[in-house]
Amino acid sequence: MTRLRAHGLKAAVNRRQRIAFGPVVRGRAPWLRQRGLLSLTENEEELVVVRAELSL
């Protein structure tokens, strides 16, 4: 958000939703857990829709 705004865009989060891991994160979960980036109990990710408009 900060970078978008720094480049002259009006930015806002329009929607958030937590969902079960999709195929990409599910496939990388063992690697992420090995490195301590994901706990054993985490099984959801947050999807965020950001709207950015150029202010004229």
Side-chain angles (χ1 to χ4, degrees):
M1 301 290 286
T2 301
R3 286 185 173 185
L4 291 169
R5 290 179 181 140
H7 285 87
L9 295 168
K10 178 181 171 187
V13 173
N14 275 9
R15 189 161 184 184
R16 296 174 182 263
Q17 186 171 349
R18 295 201 59 80
I19 63 165
F21 286 157
V24 173
V25 178
R26 195 170 41 248
R28 292 182 180 160
W31 181 86
L32 293 165
R33 288 188 172 110
Q34 255 183 331
R35 283 152 184 79
L37 301 170
L38 185 65
S39 77
L40 293 173
T41 59
E42 288 180 276
N43 60 2
E44 289 185 337
E45 58 185 313
E46 184 177 27
L47 299 181
V48 179
V49 176
V50 174
R51 181 181 178 132
E53 297 177 352
L54 183 57
S55 302
L56 298 176

